[in-house]
Amino acid sequence: MAGDRFLLIKPWSYRLWSDVEHVLAQLLIAEITNRVPVVFWPTHCLHNGFIHTNGFELYFEPVSDYSIFDLAKHEYTFYPPIWDADNLLVEDPGKETWMYRSIGDLISSDANVVVGDVYFSISEIIPFIKKENAAYGMTATEIYRYLFKKYIRIKKDILQEVQGFYQSWLKDGHPILAVHVRREEDDMIIDVRKDIADEHYWQRHSGKYGLKFPIKKDRKYRFLGRGKLLNANSQYHAEIKKLMNRYSIKKIFLLTDSEEVIREYTEKYGDMVVYTDCKRLSASEPAYFIENPVVKRRRGIEVIKDACLAAKCDFFIGNDFSSLSRAISRIKDWPEENIKLLFRRRERRKYPINVKMIVSDRKKIFKSFVEYIKNLYRRILKKLHLGGDEGDR
């Protein structure tokens, strides 16, 4: 890579595994453009508890021999054009407008320093991969795994914790099933009976309906037509049962941020359940309760530790909408039948499984009614000897 061509990778989401996913895609862009990658997560990132410290390097080794301070040179040119040597450490509050941030613009720029602070998926970058690149011809999943193996080197103290827990609690328990269950979004509900073509595809439960029709697990929701409420995370146990019956699972390594999930799984599976000792939340507590500014690195270590331990298991069931679950699916080359990321599907849309969902059988009932009328119409025509073959169309 050229010594005066850099790609500065800044955070996108400020959540650890989401930003690692963002970093991996940007590293692919660095390879395509022959740039030296430099990752910088500022002090206000979710898992960065120190002042004037690169948050990425609290958990991972640097991806190159350069730092952000090596890039802040007045003789360098920068892209997007909002950046210069004096403001490189700050964040751009307008990055979500995506101005000057198309993939084509970033890849074709001749600036010394290109800043990558918006998210692209690997699938979006694949068309730009050249034949001489090692990732050429790979699938998106294969590219993620290639990049993770090449660039993501976890700090030794974290790996020591991972190995210590594994030796003490998991080593003699194979075959082991890792299960990641996200906390239920208690104040969110998805109503798939609504026409949501032009709306955000999951919606918060209306306040007025919350007052008129308080959420109860056994209630039939009628205010938008007959329907029923599907509980959050209700798919997991059926999938766990399949694997337990087929592979004689001995241990379940449970990853969750929920106290309720811990209780549910220990009551159901007993001594089979193993989990790390970390801070978790009850359903009523907001997510920011989990963070203490003094111990934010500890929280980041716990998230990384869980992912690494899950990757040491034989099977994995996770949440398709979770960056942690996706990271686990990419840390190692899982056999396809050994891993499943769960979601709910209605029509052509995918929905997260850790929220409640109202569904309706109205369409099915309507389709059955239409078929009944068609059949009745055909029988009448046939009995009256009318319409010939047309009645069978």
Side-chain angles (χ1 to χ4, degrees), residues 121-132:
S121 69
I122 292 293
S123 298
E124 293 176 285
I125 304 171
I126 284 178
F128 298 92
I129 299 177
K130 302 171 184 177
K131 289 185 177 180
E132 59 268 23

Side-chain angles (χ1 to χ4, degrees), residues 163-174:
Q163 191 62 21
F165 188 94
Y166 175 77
Q167 292 290 338
S168 299
W169 298 98
L170 297 175
K171 180 182 177 182
D172 299 323
H174 291 274

Side-chain angles (χ1 to χ4, degrees), residues 228-269:
K228 63 179 180 179
L229 181 67
L230 301 181
N231 293 327
N233 294 323
S234 57
Q235 293 173 247
Y236 277 96
H237 295 301
E239 296 298 329
I240 292 172
K241 185 177 180 180
K242 290 178 186 176
L243 291 175
M244 289 179 67
N245 292 339
R246 187 177 302 171
Y247 298 106
S248 300
I249 301 297
K250 293 181 180 179
K251 291 284 185 182
I252 296 175
F253 176 59
L254 181 61
L255 305 79
T256 184
D257 57 353
S258 167
E259 293 178 354
E260 287 82 2
V261 170
I262 292 290
R263 288 196 294 270
E264 175 190 351
Y265 277 68
T266 52
E267 289 174 4
K268 187 173 183 65
Y269 301 107

Side-chain angles (χ1 to χ4, degrees), residues 161 165 253 275-280 298 302 305-306:
E161 280 198 36
F165 188 94
F253 176 59
Y275 51 90
T276 59
D277 181 16
C278 64
K279 185 174 181 179
R280 295 182 172 87
R298 182 70 243 166
E302 290 165 357
K305 182 178 174 180
D306 269 355

Side-chain angles (χ1 to χ4, degrees), residues 343-379:
F343 57 89
R344 283 184 171 136
R345 185 186 295 277
R346 289 297 184 275
E347 300 299 333
R348 296 183 179 181
R349 293 180 182 266
K350 292 169 63 175
Y351 300 89
I353 60 171
N354 60 308
V355 298
K356 297 182 179 75
M357 176 182 284
I358 305 175
V359 297
S360 173
D361 295 328
R362 182 174 57 183
K363 290 185 178 181
K364 293 183 179 178
I365 295 171
F366 180 73
K367 287 177 68 176
S368 299
F369 177 73
V370 170
E371 289 300 320
Y372 170 78
I373 294 298
K374 285 183 177 180
N375 290 334
L376 179 61
Y377 175 67
R378 293 190 188 105
R379 288 198 299 270

Side-chain angles (χ1 to χ4, degrees), residues 10-15 18-19 22 41 95-96 98 117-119:
K10 289 192 167 191
W12 166 246
S13 69
Y14 309 108
R15 294 187 298 272
S18 292
D19 274 328
H22 161 66
W41 291 354
K95 67 182 180 181
E96 292 186 9
W98 289 77
D117 59 356
V118 294
Y119 176 84

Side-chain angles (χ1 to χ4, degrees), residues 41-45 47-55 58-59 293-298:
W41 291 354
T43 55
H44 59 268
C45 283
H47 300 290
N48 188 346
F50 295 80
I51 303 300
H52 301 309
T53 301
N54 185 345
L58 291 176
Y59 310 105
V294 179
V295 294
K296 280 186 177 180
R297 184 178 188 260
R298 182 70 243 166

